[in-house]
Amino acid sequence: MAGTRRCVAVVWFMAGLAAAPSLRGEETSPTLLDVLSRPVLAAGTALSEVQDYCERRVPRMPEVATAAEWEALAATLRERTLREVVYRGAAAEWAALETRVEWFDVLDAAPEYRIRKLRYEAVPGLWVPALLYEPKQLTGQVPVVLNVNGHDGKGTAADYKQMRCINQAKRGMLALNVEWLGMGQLRSPDFVHYRMNQLDLCGTSGLAPFYLSMKRGLDVLLAYEHADPSRVAVAGLSGGGWQTIFISSLDERVTLSNPVAGYSSFRTRARVLSDLGDSEQTPADLATVVDYTHLTALRAPRPTLLTNNDRDRCCFAAGHALPLLLEAARPIYRLYNAADNLWVHINHVPGSHNFEQDNREALYRMFAAHFSPDGTFDPREIDCRSEVKTAEELAVPLPEGNAGFNTLARRLAAALPPAALPTTETERQTLRTRLAATIRSRDLGVTGVQRESWGKLGDAAVTALTLNIGEEWTVPAVQIAPAASQRVVVLVCDGGRSAAVDRVRALTAEGAVVVALDPFYFGESRIPQRDFLYGLLVAAVGERPLGIQADQIRAVSRFLRKDFGTLPIEVHALGRRTALAALAAAALEPEAINSVELHGSFGTLREVLEENLAVNEAPELFCFGLLPACDIPQMEALVAPREVRKQPLPTAPQPR
């Protein structure tokens, strides 16, 4: 991962280490690097545990007996999702603003339709370009379609999206082709989706700009004089499929929905790595209210077409994505006697990740069934390849300094009141309680330990520790105990324990017992594939990576306190990611941890914004609401009067 460029990777070979007795009958003596690199856990432990952890927290569909019972529950789920997930922090104020629209020139595209260029303000300072495909002959009210799209760098200029909009316009429909954040004209570093979590850090939902972009797109369409509010559709591929189900489930103005290869249940995502989903698809705390199964059921009884591809190598292939969604939604549609309104289309040609002609014609058949009461809507695609425009022809003027995620996050941070340091014990306890709640600390303990002697290095006994933390985590550590011990150091490192050779050597030379620990996400506890996406999923089910890390460090420190009696327990961290976890642990653990030593720590979480870091670089840094709740100076104040020593990294940051 890119963020690991900041971790410490001190892997100096200990050429001067004295020969030691062989371990487990080996013919050559191991080095300290050998010992710290040797696996403690069974292969696959980290992945299987985080999968179990997340899957069991995903909410299941409730049992309901009548449509009226579901209606009441659905209203609650929509309200809670918007209030508790989408409109948190400043997003509630953004949502209350009027939709601002600015219109530009018109392209006389073909005899049947024209293309009007426009932009609208999704949130203050963030303008979204869009294209309205407008039939030239309009009478009465006509259907409107919000056409969204996913991770395609061509954005609104993607040919398959243009052809979809052209076909809609040629059939007398108003088609709005909107740009997605981070794509097309909005393809810039400030719109990289993994930076939306900077808003989360500031206590405002990073999901809000995505949602409000869709909502205001509907506002634009429905403000048109010929728009029929009873015939409102949304359709999109991939990330556009995610957009489609999200807006279609929560905004009841959407009467017809066609998500294409765009989502699956969080239960599916926990196991199928291809489906895990980016920041906007896995927002903090969504799964404390709803799963995507619920969102699918919230469409009932309105017409919905679920389109998936049978050999989709990107994500959301039909075979694994559809079963849980249909299992949830079909009974709810039946409560309304509207089972025929839930359609499924599985694409076989080409069968890959696409919204090509077969999938487009499935959408047109949906239009024919639900938007064409006179039966005149022909679902066969009209060949319009010659009418596809270039990106330059479709470009919409955008204001200078159009605000992306980092710009918005910096504005939010600048508006935060100056953080006060606690001065009384009551204030300290209040702040400690707030920190624990923000990082979702569970105050776990060591529930079991397996020890295995690995012999000695010189006069230092080496023991592998397999520590059970709570009921769900297994954390590995290597304990190196010199014969004459004066203190105990719990050592964590951004690069894992194998990257801390030099520091371990120095500490043991000073007579310290070193317990080199790999907490969640680091070293041997690192998830081998798509690790940061599991960090997002952990937050989506209501937990926090930072809280898990801090709780594991706390639990091990308390365990060692019992193991070593009166010896002082210190926590040392190498690298600013583990430094944050170590500091949070010490702030919440005033009894077991006697002091903290941080190498390379941030001075404030505002540095995350100043350096424009992204969640794929370090998931624990983007804990929702942490900056306003308890910044690093406040955590340090909670450690006091215990000592907090801060040191620079011993070497230049290296990849782990």
Side-chain angles (χ1 to χ4, degrees), residues 10-12 14 32 36 491 497-508 574 650-651:
V10 185
V11 290
W12 296 340
M14 297 185 61
L32 181 56
L36 294 176
L491 180 66
R497 65 177 187 268
S498 64
V501 173
D502 192 55
R503 189 66 190 144
V504 173
R505 181 176 61 177
L507 288 168
T508 53
L574 300 178
T651 64

Side-chain angles (χ1 to χ4, degrees), residues 53-134:
Y53 185 84
C54 292
E55 186 180 25
R56 68 170 53 99
R57 284 166 169 75
V58 177
R60 273 39 174 188
M61 282 289 295
E63 294 184 8
V64 291
T66 66
E69 187 179 350
W70 173 252
E71 285 285 342
L73 178 59
T76 298
L77 292 177
R78 286 193 186 94
E79 187 275 332
R80 285 189 59 205
T81 302
L82 290 172
R83 174 171 50 85
E84 298 177 22
V85 181
V86 181
Y87 290 154
R88 287 194 283 184
E93 299 173 7
W94 296 343
L97 299 173
E98 294 290 330
T99 298
R100 296 174 60 194
V101 186
E102 296 179 357
W103 297 88
F104 298 94
D105 57 308
V106 178
L107 298 178
D108 191 3
E112 305 95 331
Y113 68 95
R114 62 180 66 89
I115 302 174
R116 294 187 179 274
K117 297 183 179 183
L118 67 141
R119 69 188 186 202
Y120 58 87
E121 195 176 34
V123 303
L126 194 171
W127 291 83
V128 175
L131 305 163
L132 180 65
Y133 290 71
E134 177 189 50

Side-chain angles (χ1 to χ4, degrees), residues 18-30 454-460:
S22 62
L23 299 185
R24 302 171 68 88
E26 297 171 0
E27 294 182 0
T28 58
S29 298
W454 282 1
K456 287 191 173 185
L457 284 173
D459 71 345

Side-chain angles (χ1 to χ4, degrees), residues 403-583:
F405 299 125
N406 184 248
T407 303
L408 293 171
R410 283 171 172 262
R411 290 176 184 172
L412 292 169
L416 293 175
L421 298 178
T423 58
T424 67
E425 188 54 39
T426 298
E427 290 175 347
R428 292 167 62 82
Q429 189 54 48
T430 298
L431 182 58
R432 188 170 282 122
T433 300
R434 185 162 71 237
L435 173 61
T438 301
I439 70 171
R440 307 289 167 90
S441 171
R442 304 303 182 204
D443 196 18
L444 304 176
V446 172
T447 54
V449 61
Q450 295 79 47
R451 305 173 194 260
E452 181 181 1
S453 173
W454 282 1
K456 287 191 173 185
L457 284 173
D459 71 345
V462 180
T463 306
L465 302 176
T466 303
L467 298 147
N468 304 118
I469 310 293
E471 301 301 322
E472 297 172 300
W473 300 112
T474 306
V475 179
V478 173
Q479 178 179 295
I480 302 173
S485 303
Q486 302 172 4
R487 69 191 202 278
V488 180
V489 174
V490 178
L491 180 66
V492 291
C493 175
D494 284 15
R497 65 177 187 268
S498 64
V501 173
D502 192 55
R503 189 66 190 144
V504 173
R505 181 176 61 177
L507 288 168
T508 53
E510 296 170 4
V513 175
V514 177
V515 179
L517 180 73
D518 280 342
F520 178 65
Y521 231 88
F522 297 104
E524 199 180 350
S525 294
R526 182 186 179 194
I527 302 155
Q529 299 180 51
R530 294 177 177 245
D531 54 354
F532 69 93
L533 296 181
Y534 276 107
L536 292 174
L537 187 55
V538 163
V541 299
E543 308 301 327
R544 301 291 183 261
L546 178 60
I548 294 170
Q549 293 162 358
D551 280 352
Q552 291 177 352
I553 294 170
R554 293 174 65 194
V556 172
S557 298
R558 288 199 298 269
F559 168 77
L560 293 172
R561 167 68 69 204
K562 294 179 181 178
D563 230 22
F564 286 92
T566 60
L567 290 184
I569 307 295
E570 304 176 9
V571 176
H572 291 205
L574 300 178
R576 52 192 184 174
R577 295 176 63 188
T578 47
L580 180 61
L583 183 61

Side-chain angles (χ1 to χ4, degrees), residues 46-373:
L47 176 60
S48 64
E49 287 192 345
V50 75
Q51 288 176 326
D52 291 345
Y53 185 84
C54 292
E55 186 180 25
R56 68 170 53 99
R57 284 166 169 75
V58 177
R60 273 39 174 188
M61 282 289 295
E63 294 184 8
V64 291
T66 66
E69 187 179 350
W70 173 252
E71 285 285 342
L73 178 59
T76 298
L77 292 177
R78 286 193 186 94
E79 187 275 332
R80 285 189 59 205
T81 302
L82 290 172
R83 174 171 50 85
E84 298 177 22
V85 181
V86 181
Y87 290 154
R88 287 194 283 184
E93 299 173 7
W94 296 343
L97 299 173
E98 294 290 330
T99 298
R100 296 174 60 194
V101 186
E102 296 179 357
W103 297 88
F104 298 94
D105 57 308
V106 178
L107 298 178
D108 191 3
E112 305 95 331
Y113 68 95
R114 62 180 66 89
I115 302 174
R116 294 187 179 274
K117 297 183 179 183
L118 67 141
R119 69 188 186 202
Y120 58 87
E121 195 176 34
V123 303
L126 194 171
W127 291 83
V128 175
L131 305 163
L132 180 65
Y133 290 71
E134 177 189 50
K136 290 182 178 178
Q137 302 297 323
L138 282 175
T139 57
Q141 292 186 311
V142 301
V144 300
V145 187
L146 179 66
N147 290 280
V148 292
N149 219 48
H151 297 86
D152 190 323
K154 294 184 289 294
T156 55
D159 57 358
Y160 55 86
K161 193 181 187 194
Q162 290 191 56
M163 287 188 278
R164 190 164 90 235
C165 295
I166 292 168
N167 266 264
Q168 293 163 14
K170 284 177 178 283
R171 290 175 170 85
M173 310 171 79
L174 288 164
L176 188 65
N177 182 353
V178 298
E179 198 70 277
W180 198 28
L181 307 183
M183 304 298 147
Q185 285 191 257
L186 298 179
R187 194 177 187 184
S188 74
D190 207 18
F191 283 104
V192 169
H193 292 184
Y194 298 138
R195 291 194 169 100
M196 71 163 248
N197 302 86
Q198 294 179 9
L199 279 70
D200 288 358
L201 177 62
C202 298
T204 288
S205 173
L207 179 63
F210 290 90
Y211 187 81
L212 287 170
S213 177
M214 295 183 280
K215 177 184 178 298
R216 298 196 192 285
L218 290 176
D219 293 345
V220 170
L221 278 169
L222 290 170
Y224 195 90
E225 60 178 328
H226 291 286
D228 183 354
S230 69
R231 291 182 290 175
V232 180
V234 182
L237 166 69
S238 192
W242 166 79
Q243 292 174 81
T244 299
I245 192 60
F246 216 84
I247 190 69
S248 300
S249 301
L250 300 178
D251 193 321
E252 294 182 272
R253 294 178 295 177
V254 180
T255 62
L256 187 151
S257 178
N258 178 210
V260 179
Y263 71 101
S264 61
S265 166
F266 278 134
R267 290 161 60 194
T268 303
R269 293 169 189 233
R271 300 292 175 182
V272 181
L273 273 63
S274 65
D275 284 13
L276 279 167
D278 290 339
S279 296
E280 72 284 351
Q281 300 176 38
T282 319
D285 299 325
L286 178 62
T288 65
V289 185
V290 292
D291 180 26
Y292 283 95
T293 53
H294 299 75
L295 295 180
T296 309
L298 286 174
R299 287 290 306 147
R302 296 167 291 166
T304 300
L305 167 61
L306 302 181
T307 297
N308 293 80
N309 307 301
D310 73 338
R311 298 184 306 281
D312 201 320
R313 293 185 178 181
C314 164
C315 42
F316 312 119
H320 65 251
L322 284 171
L324 288 180
L325 304 179
L326 295 174
E327 178 186 288
R330 278 175 169 159
I332 305 302
Y333 272 84
R334 286 196 290 267
L335 292 177
Y336 291 93
N337 296 315
D340 291 344
N341 281 354
L342 180 60
W343 291 20
V344 174
H345 176 70
I346 298 177
N347 172 255
H348 301 285
V349 179
S352 57
H353 199 64
N354 80 95
F355 205 159
E356 298 298 343
Q357 184 171 340
D358 177 62
N359 282 338
R360 293 196 295 270
E361 289 185 342
L363 172 60
Y364 305 155
R365 289 193 293 273
M366 197 75 172
F367 289 152
H370 297 282
F371 282 1
S372 181

